Amino acid sequence: MSTKIWLSSPHMGGTELKYIHEAFDTNWVAPLGPNVNGFEEDLASYLNQEVYVAALSAGTAALHLALIECGVSHGDEVICQSMTFSASANPIAYQGATPVFVDSEPETWNICPIALEEAIQDRIAKGKTPKAIIAVHLYGMPYQVDQVHAVAEKYNIPVIEDAAEALGSTYKGQAAGTFGKFGALSFNGNKIITTSGGGALVCQTKASKDRTVFLATQARDHAPHYQHSEIGFNYRMSNITAGIGRGQMEVLDQRVEARRAMNQFYHNLFADIDGVTVFSEPSPDFYSNHWLSAILIDPVLAGVTREDLRLAFLADDIESRPLWKPMHMQPVFADSPYYGGNVAEQLFENGLCLPSGSNLSDEDRERIEAKVKAVFGK
Ligand SMILES: *Cc1c(COP(=O)(O)O)cnc(C)c1O
């Protein structure tokens, strides 16, 4: 019996337990402690910019606090890339605000700068300037940073980068997560590195990091007793979890290399299969961690649909998954405005994410290759 090949599964490096043992030995099992500070410093130095990182309980929590710090509240509007995971958009609803969804452009599959500007102009004409823009680096591919930020600056709207999938990716050599007013990272179980569950908010100033930590630890005022002037959250990362993160940071470069090698494997595999394109960096400005490798299948040219391939993989216990279903097509967001055409819809229709883990073996790749060749009659 062959074992299941996962889309993306946790891959420990080996030193994670050392940090956890340290936490036990020094009785830093309580939340906060040296691993949290250490993990934050590791992340800030990896991102290689003057940024301040707050370790949190989840990427979703990071996005939520970023929205709060951008002043988003009840009745506001926030622009969000439609082609993404629901966690990009849910925190907008937590604030009682309305998401305004925007289509993708075909090169990076991320927010289209032209549709973004149309959306902003139309929302302003209708009476509300959007309070923030959530742009996503989907599957690790940086969005069109220069163009998107030029539009945001023109209308003076802060950008929150959803870099949950993009730790290790760069645009023109600068790390994803460091371009916006805030950048959200995730260390969920399936991400490029994991703490089993966790996230971080990348902040541009020390003051905004301090504010993030304050809000994430129940918003306690300075007083000997428990005193609160604001609503707080329990969103901080624990010292045990951060220990896993410190171990994972030691192998992050290797993880990026391995995911990029998987992407190259798919390039080679599909090179002479008509009607299949592997998701690729549009120019040398873009460097993707290739968290997930994905393909688009033109069913007419290929004679195969993405669903044919997905089911064939499934029969052999190989996990693959359609791309994110765009938010403007989700029942829960049916009432939200949407701007753009059908790029995201087409991507959803024809796209498939393929096994991309850094821990896949040669044997796994042989099984994938054999299946692909059988399905496409090669
Ligand atoms: C994983 C993910 C998140 C949420 O991160 P969690 O740590 O799971 O809360 C947000 N946005 C995107 C695009 C993601 O892939």
Side-chain angles (χ1 to χ4, degrees):
M1 253 306 274
S2 50
T3 50
K4 176 160 179 166
I5 298 178
W6 298 91
L7 200 64
S8 179
S9 69
H11 186 184
M12 291 297 109
T15 62
E16 293 83 1
L17 278 174
K18 181 189 82 179
Y19 292 102
I20 294 179
H21 277 138
E22 265 171 32
F24 272 72
D25 291 345
T26 53
N27 208 26
W28 273 113
V29 178
L32 311 193
N35 281 336
V36 174
N37 298 333
F39 187 37
E40 289 176 344
E41 280 162 24
D42 291 348
L43 284 166
S45 92
Y46 182 84
L47 295 171
N48 202 23
Q49 293 290 311
E50 205 186 314
V51 289
Y52 302 82
V53 178
L56 300 171
S57 57
T60 311
L63 290 165
H64 189 193
L65 294 182
L67 289 169
I68 291 171
E69 291 177 64
C70 287
V72 174
S73 67
H74 196 86
D76 286 337
E77 294 186 348
V78 174
I79 290 185
C80 184
Q81 179 170 323
S82 183
M83 185 82 202
T84 187
F85 178 44
S86 64
S88 305
N90 283 338
I92 301 169
Y94 301 167
Q95 284 307 98
T98 302
V100 173
F101 293 113
V102 171
D103 202 3
S104 292
E105 42 81 13
E107 285 199 318
T108 71
W109 300 2
N110 291 311
I111 195 162
C112 169
I114 298 163
L116 170 64
E117 183 156 21
E118 279 168 17
I120 294 171
Q121 288 177 346
D122 193 57
R123 298 325 289 176
I124 291 173
K126 288 187 161 71
K128 272 183 192 166
T129 303
K131 275 284 179 73
I133 296 164
I134 298 178
V136 188
H137 304 288
L138 211 62
Y139 306 123
M141 184 66 72
Y143 58 79
Q144 303 274 6
V145 173
D146 285 348
Q147 294 173 49
V148 169
H149 285 253
V151 173
E153 273 159 34
K154 183 168 163 192
Y155 297 91
N156 202 18
I157 303 172
V159 176
I160 298 170
E161 277 179 88
D162 183 342
E165 301 175 358
L167 183 59
S169 301
T170 61
Y171 175 79
K172 294 186 176 173
Q174 184 178 333
T178 66
F179 294 96
K181 182 166 182 187
F182 293 100
L185 302 175
S186 169
F187 315 108
N188 196 12
N190 60 355
K191 298 286 158 55
I192 191 151
I193 60 167
T194 180
T195 59
S196 81
L201 190 62
V202 180
C203 303
Q204 293 293 328
T205 65
K206 172 78 166 50
S208 97
K209 175 189 168 170
D210 291 346
R211 172 97 184 128
T212 303
V213 172
F214 168 78
L215 290 170
T217 51
Q218 309 287 20
R220 280 182 66 189
D221 295 342
H222 277 294
H225 53 276
Y226 280 79
Q227 166 126 342
H228 307 273
S229 311
E230 282 183 75
I231 297 294
F233 300 85
N234 184 4
Y235 276 175
R236 196 72 161 124
M237 180 178 279
S238 86
N239 198 49
I240 299 293
T241 302
I244 307 175
R246 294 194 76 185
Q248 289 272 281
M249 285 305 288
E250 294 182 20
V251 291
L252 174 54
D253 285 336
Q254 284 162 251
R255 298 295 179 262
V256 173
E257 226 172 275
R259 299 251 176 185
R260 288 180 57 85
M262 277 311 292
N263 190 262
Q264 192 54 51
F265 163 76
Y266 288 118
H267 272 283
N268 299 341
L269 180 55
F270 289 105
D272 54 1
I273 295 179
D274 289 337
V276 177
T277 39
V278 179
F279 187 31
S280 310
E281 292 138 337
S283 84
D285 288 343
F286 298 79
Y287 182 86
S288 172
N289 68 7
H290 286 307
W291 170 59
L292 292 188
S293 283
I295 52 171
L296 285 181
I297 302 181
D298 179 332
V300 178
L301 273 177
V304 167
T305 66
R306 75 115 148 98
E307 208 46 19
D308 295 333
L309 181 59
R310 191 183 72 80
L311 292 173
F313 274 143
L314 189 65
D316 194 21
D317 223 4
I318 300 171
E319 187 181 31
S320 65
R321 195 174 296 153
L323 304 193
W324 300 124
K325 182 173 183 179
M327 291 303 114
H328 73 274
M329 299 170 75
Q330 298 284 356
V332 72
F333 292 123
D335 296 335
S336 295
Y338 171 71
Y339 293 84
N342 65 353
V343 175
E345 288 168 22
Q346 285 297 310
L347 290 169
F348 173 61
E349 184 76 21
N350 295 320
L352 192 67
C353 294
L354 304 174
S356 305
S358 48
N359 49 3
L360 295 176
S361 64
D362 287 338
E363 196 190 321
D364 293 335
R365 278 181 282 275
E366 279 162 24
R367 254 170 78 195
I368 293 166
E369 178 165 353
K371 200 71 193 176
V372 165
K373 290 193 164 151
V375 169
F376 290 92
K378 291 277 165 177

